[in-house]
Amino acid sequence: MPKKKAYITGICGFAGSYLAGELLQNGYSVRGSALPGESERNLSDLPQKVTIDRFDITDAVACKKYITKARPEFLFHLAAVSSVGQSFKLGEMTF
């Protein structure tokens, strides 16, 4: 039986990396997005490798490209502006 495929935006963040670990433990193939240059330190404890696509999720063309390539059965959108102060200053981008 083929593995179920999951895609996580914000995979390198706290919540994204935790979810990736849970999905891997439950037999999923995991792929996700991260900004270019974003640290992978939150993923360092995972027993299996995940595939990371490096792009800005505000780029609709890039989103379509990578999601089409991945063809996930499940999509978890966890990418976010993590600073509350910045979210107020950058409201449109945060949305």
Side-chain angles (χ1 to χ4, degrees):
M1 178 187 243
K3 289 184 175 187
K4 292 180 182 175
K5 295 189 275 184
Y7 199 95
I8 305 169
T9 64
I11 195 167
C12 291
F14 172 76
S17 61
Y18 180 81
L19 177 59
E22 289 295 312
L23 291 169
L24 288 169
Q25 286 181 358
N26 285 284
Y28 285 74
S29 168
V30 179
R31 183 179 192 129
S33 70
L35 287 170
E38 186 175 355
S39 171
E40 296 178 21
R41 73 178 174 275
N42 288 336
L43 300 171
S44 64
D45 292 339
L46 295 182
Q48 300 171 18
K49 187 75 174 150
V50 297
T51 301
I52 300 173
D53 298 319
R54 300 255 177 206
F55 67 96
D56 184 336
I57 65 162
T58 63
D59 179 343
V61 173
C63 281
K64 183 175 181 178
K65 172 186 168 184
Y66 287 107
I67 298 300
T68 300
K69 182 178 181 179
R71 299 179 50 107
E73 295 165 89
F74 302 93
L75 176 63
F76 300 92
H77 177 48
L78 300 178
V81 174
S82 60
S83 164
V84 175
Q86 286 297 316
S87 73
F88 285 111
K89 291 178 186 173
L90 305 169
E92 187 175 329
M93 188 199 69
T94 300
F95 178 73

